[in-house]
Amino acid sequence: MRLVLWTWVWASLVALVGGAVVLSEPRPYLMIRDLAQDAIQRMHPRPYDPASPVAIVDVDEGSLAAFGQWPWPRTLLAAMTDRLYEHGAIAVGYDVIFPEPDRTSPEQVAVTWQRFGGPTLPEPDPGSGATHDAQFARAVASGPTVLSVAGGAGPVPDLPAGVAVTGGWPTALTRFPGALSNLAELDAAAAGLGAISLSAGTDGVVRTVPLVVGMGEQLVPSLSLELLRVAQGARGHVLRTSEASGEISGGSAAAVAVRTGAIEIPVEANGHFRVHFAGRQDGRVTPVARVMAREGFDPALAERVGGRIVLVGSSAQGLFDIRATPLDAAVPGVTVHAEVLEQVIAGHFLSRPDWMKGLELVLLVLGAAGVALALARNRPLWALGVAVTVSAGAAAAAPALFVARAVVFDPVAVASVPFLVFMPGAAGGLLAKERARRSIRARFAHFVPVDLLPQIEANPERALTPLGSERELTVVFIDMRGFSTASEGMSPEQVVTLVNAFLSEVSEVLVSHRATIDKYMGDAIMAFWNAPIEQAGHVARAVGAMPDIQAAARRASDRMQAQGLPPISVGIGLNTGRAAIGLMGSQARLSYTCLGESVNLAARLEGLTRIYGVWNCVGPATAAQCPPGFVALGLDLISVKGFRRAVEVSTLLPAETPGLAQVAAALDRAREAYRHGDWSGAEAAFETLRALDLADCDTAVLADLYLHRIADWRRAPPPADWDGSHVALAK
C-alpha cells in the first residue's frame, strides 16, 4: 500500500514539475526544445523553389578581390543599384547600414587631406550632385529601394511607412532604446526602412526573425517585411494583437499576425516569425562581380534578377554578418532575410496554435497517470509499454505534424515525463520484489548430500575451509523460466506454492547427484560439485544431473498446471573451472559459497540460454570433459568481462537426439562462413539451419540471432582482426 501511495505521489510531483517547466520555459528546457525542433528541420527542410521571386546579390570574397576592400565607393553601389533596376528588379534591399559619409568622395578626400597637413583643395559644389553619397541617394530614389536600420541608441529616423497596432503594444516585442541608421539624405531617398536585427537563441542559432521591433517610441518593420510592402506598393503595415482579436494571451497583449498589403503573416507572441529553412541555395545568389561583369544589357543577369526582390548583403567572413541556423553552421545574415521572403511569398507558415501548449500539458499528465496506474498495479512491463508508447508517439507526432500541417509540436516534456515517472517507480517495485525474494531464501538452509555430513563433521576445517581455498568446481545456475508471468495475479499463497514446488523437485535431483546447494535466489538455484568434499568425475556427475533437472522441472510444471497455474520450464548454465571456496559473510551470519571468474561465467551462461533458444549452456571446460552419451553442440564464441580470450559456448544434448548430426553440420557451416565475414554465405546457411528441427534447441531463434548480427555487421563491418566473437551483455 505504501508503494502504491509513493508511486502516485511521485507521478503527481513529476507531472506538476513538468507542467511548470512547460509553462515557464526555463533556459535549459528551451535549449533542449530548440535542439529537438532543429533536428526536425534538418530531417524536413523547406523545399527550395528556383522560381521564387527572391534573389541575393552577394558581396563575396571574389567581389572584394575584384573591387577592393569594404566599404566600397558609393558610386559603385549607385551603379550596381541602377544596373539591378535596369535588369528588371522589382525592389532592392540593402542588408547594410551607411551611417557615415563615403570617405572616397572628393569632399571627404579634401577634408582628410587637410587633416593630415595637405594643402587646401577646392570643395566641390554641394548642389551639383558630385558627392558619392548624393549619387548613391539618386540611385536609391530611382526605384523601390529599402535601406536598413538596426537597434541602437541614436535617434530613430522618420519612417516612410509605419506600423499600425490594433490593440496595445505586445509586451514581449523585441525593443531597443533607439536606432543606428543611415545618412539623413540616404534615409530620405529610400522608399522604405527596415530593421535587420536578427534574434538568436541562447546557443547563437537563428530560428525566428522579428518582423516588428520597437525602437524608441516607434514600431519598425523588418527588412523583409518592408521589401514586401514596397514590392506590392502598399502604404503600411498592421500588427494585430490578441487584444483586438479576442484571443487569450495570459492577461497581456501578444502579437498574432502582421498584415502587409494583401498578405497576412502569422507571428508568435513576441512578433517573431518562425522560419522554415531551405538552407544554402546557390541558385538564389549572384556575386556583385557577376552583376558588374559586363556593360550594357546582360540577358543572363536579367534572368537572375528580373521580376525578383533583390537583397544585397555579404558572405565575406571579414564583414562579420555570418549567422548559424538549424541547417547551416555559417550562412550570411542576408540569407535569413531571403528565407523569410521566400516563405511568406509562397504562403508557407509554421504555426504553433494557442491551444498547443494546453494539449502538451494534457498529454504529459495522461502519460504520467498511465505509467503510475500500471506501476500501482504491479505491472512494470505495462508501465514501460505506456512510457514507450507515449514517448514514441510524441517523438513521431512532432515531425508528422511539422510535415503534414506545418504545426510546431514540442515533444520534449511529453516524451520525458513518462520515463521520469517510470524509472524511480520501477526501481521501487524491483526493491519490493527483491525483499520478497530474500524472505523466501531466508526459509531455506544450505543443502549437501546427507551421506557427506559425517565427513564434514569429522573435519569441518578441511571441508568447509573457513579461511578459504581454491579448487576446481563444476558450478550450475538453474533458473525457473516463466516465473514473472506465472506469478502475475497470483495470491501470496500461490506464489509460495509455485516456488516451493520447483525448488523442492530440483533440490532433490541435485542432492541425489551429490551436488552442494549453495543458495536459493528467489526462483533460481546455485549449486556446485567437488566441494566441500572432493569428488572424482564431478563434471560427469553435473552433466548427468541436467536431464533429471529438466525432468524435475517438468514434473513441477505438471503439478502447477493441474492446480490451474501457468506452466514453467528451466534454464541451466554449467561451467567448470577454478574458484575460491569457503565460509564467507559476517560474524552474524556465514555462508558456505564459492566465488570466481568460472562462477561468474556459469551465471552468464544461464542467462544466454534465452538468447540461443536452448535450455542449457555450458562452458568450454565442461564441454571438453563431456561424458559418453552426450554431444556438445557449439553455439557461439563470446567475449566475457574478466576473461582474456573469447569463450566457446555450447549446449549439451543426448547423442541419440534425432537430427542432431544434421543440425551440427549445418551450424558448423554457418558459423564458419560467419567467422570469415562471408555474410551472404552465412545468411544462406543460417536460413538452412532455421528450417531444421531439433528437440530442445529452437533453431529459428538461433538463426535469427546470427541474422540480426549479420545485418548489423553489414552496416558497420567488424575490424580486420575480428575472430568471430560477440560481446555478451546478457547476465
Side-chain angles (χ1 to χ4, degrees), residues 222-462:
S222 69
L223 175 63
S224 52
L225 196 64
E226 190 70 341
L227 278 168
L228 192 65
R229 180 189 69 81
V230 300
Q232 296 180 88
R235 293 184 177 181
H237 312 274
V238 178
L239 174 62
R240 182 162 57 88
T241 68
S242 55
E243 286 187 352
S245 63
E247 298 181 29
I248 299 173
S249 60
S252 59
V256 174
V258 179
R259 174 170 288 278
T260 299
I263 301 176
E264 182 166 285
I265 309 165
V267 294
E268 298 183 355
N270 57 0
H272 287 212
F273 177 78
R274 185 165 292 275
V275 186
H276 188 184
F277 289 92
R280 189 189 303 272
Q281 302 290 336
D282 294 337
R284 66 160 75 101
V285 180
T286 302
V288 173
R290 172 67 185 83
V291 174
M292 307 299 291
R294 292 175 54 181
E295 294 184 1
F297 187 76
D298 184 348
L301 178 60
E303 184 177 349
R304 295 186 70 84
V305 302
R308 300 173 190 265
I309 298 173
V310 178
L311 286 141
V312 180
S314 177
S315 65
Q317 291 288 338
L319 298 187
F320 305 107
D321 189 25
I322 302 301
R323 311 291 178 140
T325 71
L327 301 190
D328 299 288
V331 295
V334 68
T335 300
V336 179
H337 297 295
E339 294 258 20
V340 173
L341 277 171
E342 290 172 355
Q343 196 172 334
V344 169
I345 293 171
H348 174 68
F349 305 118
L350 296 179
S351 66
R352 181 168 168 80
D354 292 341
W355 48 262
M356 183 58 73
K357 185 171 289 189
L359 174 63
E360 291 162 1
L361 289 173
V362 170
L363 294 176
L364 180 153
V365 171
L366 290 177
V371 172
L373 181 63
L375 289 173
R377 295 188 176 184
N378 197 25
R379 296 291 190 272
L381 290 180
W382 290 11
L384 179 60
V386 172
V388 170
T389 300
V390 174
S391 300
L401 288 172
F402 187 89
V403 173
R405 300 291 182 184
V407 171
V408 178
F409 170 75
D410 176 17
V412 175
V414 179
S416 302
V417 164
F419 278 103
L420 292 176
V421 174
F422 171 77
M423 289 186 290
L430 289 174
L431 290 175
K433 188 174 181 179
E434 180 61 20
R435 286 195 296 270
R437 291 167 67 92
R438 288 177 182 175
S439 67
I440 293 175
R441 292 198 299 268
R443 296 187 58 187
F444 297 93
H446 295 289
F447 290 99
V448 297
V450 176
D451 59 345
L452 294 182
L453 288 176
Q455 300 179 48
I456 297 172
E457 292 170 354
N459 193 346
E461 292 291 323
R462 180 174 180 273

Side-chain angles (χ1 to χ4, degrees), residues 539-555:
V539 175
R541 289 179 182 274
V543 172
M546 288 203 302
D548 292 341
I549 294 171
Q550 186 184 35
R554 288 173 178 166
R555 289 194 299 271

Side-chain angles (χ1 to χ4, degrees), residues 643-725:
F643 287 78
R644 290 183 296 274
R645 292 184 297 179
V647 175
E648 179 75 7
V649 178
S650 305
T651 186
L652 296 181
L653 296 169
E656 69 273 14
T657 303
L660 176 57
Q662 186 180 6
V663 169
L667 182 56
D668 285 344
R669 287 192 299 270
R671 290 185 62 198
E672 184 67 15
Y674 177 82
R675 277 193 296 268
H676 288 86
D678 179 11
W679 307 133
S680 297
E683 284 176 336
F686 280 115
E687 290 293 347
T688 300
L689 176 67
R690 180 205 292 272
L692 301 177
D693 291 326
L694 184 64
D696 293 328
C697 179
D698 192 333
T699 55
V701 170
L702 182 59
D704 286 341
L705 174 68
Y706 276 95
L707 290 172
H708 285 308
R709 290 183 192 171
I710 291 170
D712 291 339
W713 287 133
R714 285 186 183 276
R715 288 189 293 269
D721 58 348
W722 180 59
D723 59 357
S725 63

Side-chain angles (χ1 to χ4, degrees), residues 92 176 338 353 443 525:
V92 176
F176 301 96
R443 296 187 58 187
I525 305 176

